[in-house]
Amino acid sequence: MVDLHTHSNASDGVLPPAVLVAEASRWGLRTLGLTDHDTTAGVGEAVAAGARFGVEIIPGVELSTGSDGDREIHLLGYFIDPEDAKLQAGLAEFAHGRRARVERIVERLTAVGTPVELERVFELAGPGTVGRPHVARALIERGHVATVAEAFERFLRSGRPGFVPRYKVEPERAIALVAGAGGVPVLAHPLGTGDVEGTLGRLVPVGLRGLEVYYGEYDEATRASLREVADRWGLIPTGGSDFHGAGFKPGRDLGGPSVPLESVDRLRAAARQTAPGRRMPSA
Ligand code: AMP
Ligand code: ZN
Ligand code: FE
Ligand code: FE
Protein backbone atom coordinates (compact mmCIF):
# COMPACT_ATOMS: atom_id res chain seq x y z
CA MET A 1 0.00 0.00 0.00
CA VAL A 2 1.06 3.51 -0.84
CA ASP A 3 0.13 6.97 0.48
CA LEU A 4 1.82 9.93 -1.20
CA HIS A 5 0.19 12.87 0.58
CA THR A 6 0.56 13.23 4.34
CA HIS A 7 1.24 15.93 6.92
CA SER A 8 3.14 15.74 10.20
CA ASN A 9 3.46 18.24 13.02
CA ALA A 10 6.33 19.81 11.07
CA SER A 11 3.38 21.68 9.50
CA ASP A 12 -0.27 21.42 10.52
CA GLY A 13 -0.56 17.67 11.00
CA VAL A 14 -0.96 16.24 14.47
CA LEU A 15 1.59 13.39 14.60
CA PRO A 16 5.35 13.80 14.86
CA PRO A 17 7.04 12.37 11.72
CA ALA A 18 8.30 9.21 13.46
CA VAL A 19 4.85 8.48 14.88
CA LEU A 20 3.29 9.05 11.45
CA VAL A 21 5.69 6.49 9.99
CA ALA A 22 4.91 4.03 12.81
CA GLU A 23 1.20 4.45 12.07
CA ALA A 24 1.84 3.97 8.35
CA SER A 25 3.65 0.73 9.09
CA ARG A 26 0.83 -0.40 11.36
CA TRP A 27 -1.66 0.17 8.51
CA GLY A 28 0.48 -1.86 6.12
CA LEU A 29 1.91 0.99 4.05
CA ARG A 30 5.17 0.20 2.26
CA THR A 31 5.69 3.66 0.76
CA LEU A 32 4.86 7.00 2.35
CA GLY A 33 5.24 10.48 0.89
CA LEU A 34 5.74 13.13 3.58
CA THR A 35 4.41 16.38 2.11
CA ASP A 36 4.32 19.02 4.83
CA HIS A 37 3.20 22.53 3.92
CA ASP A 38 6.16 24.70 2.92
CA THR A 39 8.74 22.74 4.92
CA THR A 40 10.98 19.70 4.74
CA ALA A 41 11.76 19.85 8.48
CA GLY A 42 10.11 16.47 9.14
CA VAL A 43 11.84 14.53 6.36
CA GLY A 44 15.00 13.52 8.26
CA GLU A 45 13.06 12.08 11.19
CA ALA A 46 10.66 10.30 8.83
CA VAL A 47 13.46 8.72 6.79
CA ALA A 48 15.17 7.47 9.97
CA ALA A 49 11.89 6.02 11.25
CA GLY A 50 11.20 4.53 7.81
CA ALA A 51 14.45 2.59 8.00
CA ARG A 52 13.39 1.14 11.38
CA PHE A 53 9.85 0.27 10.32
CA GLY A 54 10.54 -0.88 6.76
CA VAL A 55 8.56 1.94 5.15
CA GLU A 56 10.05 3.70 2.12
CA ILE A 57 9.86 7.47 2.72
CA ILE A 58 9.62 9.73 -0.30
CA PRO A 59 10.96 13.15 0.67
CA GLY A 60 8.27 15.61 -0.32
CA VAL A 61 6.73 19.00 0.24
CA GLU A 62 3.40 20.75 -0.50
CA LEU A 63 3.73 24.35 -1.62
CA SER A 64 0.70 26.64 -1.30
CA THR A 65 0.42 29.00 -4.23
CA GLY A 66 -2.12 31.01 -6.14
CA SER A 67 -5.13 33.05 -5.38
CA ASP A 68 -6.29 35.36 -2.60
CA GLY A 69 -9.50 33.45 -1.94
CA ASP A 70 -10.52 29.84 -1.38
CA ARG A 71 -9.28 28.71 -4.78
CA GLU A 72 -5.64 27.83 -4.41
CA ILE A 73 -3.07 25.86 -6.36
CA HIS A 74 -1.16 23.43 -4.16
CA LEU A 75 1.94 21.85 -5.64
CA LEU A 76 3.42 18.63 -4.36
CA GLY A 77 7.12 17.97 -4.89
CA TYR A 78 8.41 14.38 -4.74
CA PHE A 79 11.96 13.04 -4.37
CA ILE A 80 13.21 16.54 -3.64
CA ASP A 81 16.68 16.98 -2.21
CA PRO A 82 15.97 18.61 1.18
CA GLU A 83 19.53 19.98 1.23
CA ASP A 84 18.97 22.09 -1.87
CA ALA A 85 19.92 25.68 -0.97
CA LYS A 86 17.52 27.44 -3.34
CA LEU A 87 14.60 25.32 -2.18
CA GLN A 88 15.42 26.07 1.46
CA ALA A 89 15.74 29.79 0.74
CA GLY A 90 12.28 29.71 -0.86
CA LEU A 91 10.80 27.78 2.05
CA ALA A 92 12.29 30.26 4.55
CA GLU A 93 10.64 33.09 2.63
CA PHE A 94 7.25 31.30 2.62
CA ALA A 95 7.55 30.55 6.35
CA HIS A 96 8.14 34.23 6.99
CA GLY A 97 5.03 35.03 4.93
CA ARG A 98 3.05 32.53 7.01
CA ARG A 99 4.14 34.10 10.31
CA ALA A 100 3.28 37.60 9.09
CA ARG A 101 -0.13 36.37 7.91
CA VAL A 102 -0.91 34.73 11.25
CA GLU A 103 0.05 37.95 13.07
CA ARG A 104 -2.50 39.84 10.98
CA ILE A 105 -5.15 37.15 11.51
CA VAL A 106 -4.68 37.42 15.28
CA GLU A 107 -5.04 41.23 15.08
CA ARG A 108 -8.30 40.84 13.20
CA LEU A 109 -9.66 38.26 15.63
CA THR A 110 -8.88 40.62 18.49
CA ALA A 111 -10.62 43.46 16.66
CA VAL A 112 -13.83 41.43 16.30
CA GLY A 113 -13.89 40.40 19.96
CA THR A 114 -12.58 36.84 19.72
CA PRO A 115 -8.96 37.30 20.82
CA VAL A 116 -6.28 34.63 20.91
CA GLU A 117 -2.67 34.99 22.04
CA LEU A 118 -0.18 35.17 19.18
CA GLU A 119 2.40 33.48 21.42
CA ARG A 120 0.02 30.58 21.95
CA VAL A 121 -0.57 30.14 18.22
CA PHE A 122 3.18 29.91 17.61
CA GLU A 123 3.50 27.52 20.55
CA LEU A 124 0.82 25.28 19.05
CA ALA A 125 2.67 25.33 15.72
CA GLY A 126 5.93 24.31 17.40
CA PRO A 127 9.13 24.59 15.40
CA GLY A 128 7.44 23.84 12.06
CA THR A 129 5.39 26.03 9.72
CA VAL A 130 2.43 27.89 11.22
CA GLY A 131 -0.99 28.09 9.58
CA ARG A 132 -4.67 28.76 10.08
CA PRO A 133 -5.25 25.33 11.71
CA HIS A 134 -3.04 26.48 14.60
CA VAL A 135 -5.13 29.64 14.95
CA ALA A 136 -8.20 27.39 14.92
CA ARG A 137 -6.78 25.32 17.79
CA ALA A 138 -6.12 28.51 19.78
CA LEU A 139 -9.73 29.63 19.14
CA ILE A 140 -10.92 26.30 20.53
CA GLU A 141 -8.73 26.64 23.63
CA ARG A 142 -10.17 30.09 24.31
CA GLY A 143 -13.69 28.67 24.00
CA HIS A 144 -14.63 30.82 20.98
CA VAL A 145 -15.44 27.76 18.84
CA ALA A 146 -15.89 24.03 19.41
CA THR A 147 -14.12 22.56 16.37
CA VAL A 148 -11.51 23.41 13.73
CA ALA A 149 -14.23 23.21 11.08
CA GLU A 150 -16.30 25.81 12.98
CA ALA A 151 -13.25 28.06 13.31
CA PHE A 152 -12.79 28.04 9.52
CA GLU A 153 -16.49 28.47 8.83
CA ARG A 154 -16.96 31.42 11.19
CA PHE A 155 -13.59 33.17 11.15
CA LEU A 156 -10.80 31.85 8.97
CA ARG A 157 -12.02 31.14 5.48
CA SER A 158 -12.23 33.63 2.66
CA GLY A 159 -14.89 36.26 3.31
CA ARG A 160 -14.90 35.72 7.09
CA PRO A 161 -13.74 38.36 9.61
CA GLY A 162 -10.41 36.70 10.43
CA PHE A 163 -9.42 36.05 6.83
CA VAL A 164 -6.16 37.48 5.55
CA PRO A 165 -4.87 36.61 2.07
CA ARG A 166 -1.83 34.39 2.05
CA TYR A 167 1.66 35.43 1.05
CA LYS A 168 1.53 35.36 -2.72
CA VAL A 169 3.59 32.70 -4.47
CA GLU A 170 3.20 31.99 -8.18
CA PRO A 171 2.77 28.29 -9.04
CA GLU A 172 5.42 28.63 -11.76
CA ARG A 173 7.93 29.56 -9.08
CA ALA A 174 6.93 26.60 -6.91
CA ILE A 175 7.43 24.26 -9.87
CA ALA A 176 10.88 25.74 -10.52
CA LEU A 177 11.87 25.33 -6.86
CA VAL A 178 10.81 21.66 -6.84
CA ALA A 179 12.46 20.86 -10.18
CA GLY A 180 15.60 22.77 -9.15
CA ALA A 181 15.83 20.52 -6.09
CA GLY A 182 15.71 17.41 -8.30
CA GLY A 183 12.06 16.78 -7.49
CA VAL A 184 8.93 16.01 -9.50
CA PRO A 185 6.19 18.69 -9.41
CA VAL A 186 2.62 17.40 -9.10
CA LEU A 187 -0.68 19.31 -8.92
CA ALA A 188 -2.43 18.47 -5.61
CA HIS A 189 -6.22 17.98 -5.24
CA PRO A 190 -6.80 19.45 -8.74
CA LEU A 191 -10.50 20.27 -8.26
CA GLY A 192 -9.46 22.81 -5.63
CA THR A 193 -8.09 25.02 -8.39
CA GLY A 194 -11.61 25.54 -9.76
CA ASP A 195 -10.32 25.05 -13.32
CA VAL A 196 -8.37 21.87 -13.98
CA GLU A 197 -7.86 22.27 -17.74
CA GLY A 198 -6.91 25.93 -17.43
CA THR A 199 -4.45 25.19 -14.65
CA LEU A 200 -2.85 22.37 -16.66
CA GLY A 201 -2.68 24.59 -19.73
CA ARG A 202 -0.73 27.06 -17.65
CA LEU A 203 1.51 24.68 -15.69
CA VAL A 204 2.31 21.71 -17.96
CA PRO A 205 4.37 23.92 -20.31
CA VAL A 206 6.49 25.12 -17.36
CA GLY A 207 7.32 21.68 -16.01
CA LEU A 208 4.36 20.15 -14.15
CA ARG A 209 4.85 16.36 -14.28
CA GLY A 210 1.99 14.80 -12.33
CA LEU A 211 -1.65 15.07 -11.27
CA GLU A 212 -3.14 13.92 -7.97
CA VAL A 213 -5.82 11.53 -9.19
CA TYR A 214 -6.39 9.13 -6.26
CA TYR A 215 -7.17 11.77 -3.65
CA GLY A 216 -8.79 10.83 -0.35
CA GLU A 217 -11.88 13.01 -0.77
CA TYR A 218 -12.56 12.12 -4.42
CA ASP A 219 -15.08 9.41 -5.31
CA GLU A 220 -14.41 6.68 -7.88
CA ALA A 221 -16.03 8.58 -10.75
CA THR A 222 -13.92 11.67 -10.07
CA ARG A 223 -10.76 9.57 -9.86
CA ALA A 224 -11.62 7.85 -13.15
CA SER A 225 -12.17 11.14 -14.92
CA LEU A 226 -8.97 12.65 -13.47
CA ARG A 227 -7.07 9.53 -14.57
CA GLU A 228 -8.28 10.23 -18.09
CA VAL A 229 -7.15 13.86 -17.77
CA ALA A 230 -3.70 12.76 -16.52
CA ASP A 231 -3.28 10.34 -19.42
CA ARG A 232 -4.39 12.92 -21.96
CA TRP A 233 -1.84 15.47 -20.67
CA GLY A 234 0.91 12.88 -20.25
CA LEU A 235 1.01 13.40 -16.48
CA ILE A 236 1.92 10.87 -13.80
CA PRO A 237 -1.22 9.94 -11.84
CA THR A 238 -0.45 10.11 -8.11
CA GLY A 239 -2.56 9.93 -4.99
CA GLY A 240 -2.80 10.10 -1.26
CA SER A 241 -5.01 10.73 1.72
CA ASP A 242 -3.86 14.25 2.71
CA PHE A 243 -3.77 12.84 6.23
CA HIS A 244 -3.50 15.44 9.03
CA GLY A 245 -4.52 13.27 11.99
CA ALA A 246 -7.16 10.72 12.95
CA GLY A 247 -10.75 11.76 12.26
CA PHE A 248 -9.74 14.99 10.47
CA LYS A 249 -12.28 14.68 7.65
CA PRO A 250 -14.11 11.85 5.85
CA GLY A 251 -11.82 10.20 3.28
CA ARG A 252 -8.67 11.63 4.83
CA ASP A 253 -7.50 8.60 6.81
CA LEU A 254 -3.94 7.38 6.39
CA GLY A 255 -3.68 4.91 3.50
CA GLY A 256 -7.34 5.49 2.60
CA PRO A 257 -7.24 5.84 -1.19
CA SER A 258 -5.71 2.97 -3.10
CA VAL A 259 -2.74 4.34 -4.98
CA PRO A 260 -1.04 2.11 -7.56
CA LEU A 261 2.66 1.21 -7.19
CA GLU A 262 2.95 2.46 -10.77
CA SER A 263 2.70 6.00 -9.39
CA VAL A 264 5.80 5.52 -7.25
CA ASP A 265 7.78 3.88 -10.07
CA ARG A 266 6.94 6.66 -12.50
CA LEU A 267 7.75 9.40 -9.97
CA ARG A 268 11.09 7.73 -9.26
CA ALA A 269 11.89 7.48 -12.95
CA ALA A 270 10.97 11.14 -13.50
CA ALA A 271 13.16 12.22 -10.58
CA ARG A 272 16.11 10.25 -11.98
CA GLN A 273 15.63 12.12 -15.25
CA THR A 274 15.63 15.49 -13.47
CA ALA A 275 18.76 14.77 -11.45
CA PRO A 276 20.63 12.02 -13.27
CA GLY A 277 23.74 11.98 -11.07
CA ARG A 278 21.96 11.91 -7.76
CA ARG A 279 21.83 8.98 -5.37
CA MET A 280 18.15 8.14 -5.02
CA PRO A 281 16.44 6.54 -2.06
CA SER A 282 16.16 2.91 -3.17
CA ALA A 283 12.91 0.95 -3.41
P1 AMP B 1 -3.15 27.82 5.62
O1 AMP B 1 -2.05 26.99 4.99
O2 AMP B 1 -2.70 28.54 6.82
O3 AMP B 1 -3.89 28.66 4.63
O4 AMP B 1 -4.23 26.73 6.15
C1 AMP B 1 -4.77 25.82 5.23
C2 AMP B 1 -4.92 24.47 5.88
O5 AMP B 1 -6.02 24.53 6.78
C3 AMP B 1 -5.28 23.36 4.92
O6 AMP B 1 -4.14 22.73 4.42
C4 AMP B 1 -6.06 22.42 5.78
O7 AMP B 1 -5.17 21.62 6.49
C5 AMP B 1 -6.75 23.33 6.76
N1 AMP B 1 -8.14 23.67 6.40
C6 AMP B 1 -8.58 24.44 5.37
N2 AMP B 1 -9.92 24.58 5.39
C7 AMP B 1 -10.35 23.85 6.43
C8 AMP B 1 -11.65 23.56 6.99
N3 AMP B 1 -12.76 24.08 6.45
N4 AMP B 1 -11.71 22.77 8.07
C9 AMP B 1 -10.59 22.27 8.62
N5 AMP B 1 -9.34 22.50 8.16
C10 AMP B 1 -9.22 23.28 7.08
ZN1 ZN C 1 -2.60 21.07 6.02
FE1 FE D 1 -3.35 21.05 -0.03
FE1 FE E 1 -2.09 18.54 2.02
Side-chain angles (χ1 to χ4, degrees):
M1 272 168 66
V2 173
D3 193 331
L4 297 177
H5 188 160
T6 65
H7 297 271
S8 76
N9 70 355
S11 63
D12 58 4
V14 171
L15 305 180
V19 179
L20 174 67
V21 174
E23 279 295 290
S25 159
R26 201 164 74 80
W27 288 101
L29 290 172
R30 301 293 302 275
T31 305
L32 183 78
L34 180 67
T35 54
D36 274 309
H37 299 286
D38 298 338
T39 183
T40 60
V43 167
E45 182 181 319
V47 168
R52 287 202 306 277
F53 286 98
V55 179
E56 180 197 8
I57 305 302
I58 299 180
V61 71
E62 180 175 17
L63 303 175
S64 306
T65 79
S67 82
D68 292 340
D70 283 333
R71 299 262 173 237
E72 291 189 351
I73 297 173
H74 288 187
L75 282 155
L76 297 160
Y78 290 112
F79 291 109
I80 46 168
D81 174 7
E83 311 279 299
D84 184 81
K86 274 193 185 148
L87 174 66
Q88 290 305 332
L91 296 180
E93 180 191 320
F94 305 161
H96 183 270
R98 283 180 166 276
R99 288 191 295 271
R101 182 191 192 200
V102 160
E103 285 171 20
R104 291 189 54 210
I105 292 174
V106 167
E107 283 168 17
R108 283 174 156 267
L109 290 173
T110 303
V112 298
T114 45
V116 298
E117 301 288 329
L118 184 62
E119 287 306 305
R120 185 59 189 148
V121 176
F122 287 133
E123 236 171 68
L124 289 166
T129 49
V130 69
R132 287 178 292 167
H134 304 109
V135 180
R137 290 173 208 167
L139 282 164
I140 295 172
E141 280 189 354
R142 287 293 304 260
H144 298 309
V145 296
T147 64
V148 171
E150 186 191 347
F152 271 86
E153 195 44 48
R154 284 181 51 204
F155 297 108
L156 300 175
R157 72 180 187 83
S158 177
R160 299 298 190 255
F163 182 77
V164 174
R166 73 162 53 255
Y167 178 73
K168 190 95 177 171
V169 179
E170 296 300 333
E172 288 82 355
R173 179 160 176 232
I175 287 175
L177 280 175
V178 167
V184 186
V186 173
L187 179 62
H189 38 71
L191 302 189
T193 63
D195 176 11
V196 177
E197 292 293 324
T199 304
L200 296 181
R202 174 177 171 188
L203 299 183
V204 171
V206 294
L208 187 75
R209 299 295 307 276
L211 188 73
E212 193 171 50
V213 165
Y214 311 99
Y215 184 63
E217 288 186 27
Y218 296 166
D219 62 20
E220 283 305 322
T222 305
R223 291 179 196 179
S225 95
L226 285 172
R227 175 68 205 236
E228 183 272 324
V229 173
D231 291 344
R232 181 157 43 78
W233 284 88
L235 294 168
I236 302 166
T238 73
S241 60
D242 205 356
F243 178 76
H244 282 70
F248 179 68
K249 269 186 189 178
R252 301 281 286 273
D253 292 324
L254 193 59
S258 72
V259 180
L261 262 179
E262 174 212 2
S263 296
V264 179
D265 294 339
R266 287 179 64 181
L267 286 173
R268 198 192 317 275
R272 284 212 172 93
Q273 242 175 10
T274 316
R278 207 172 110 217
R279 284 185 57 226
M280 297 284 297
S282 58

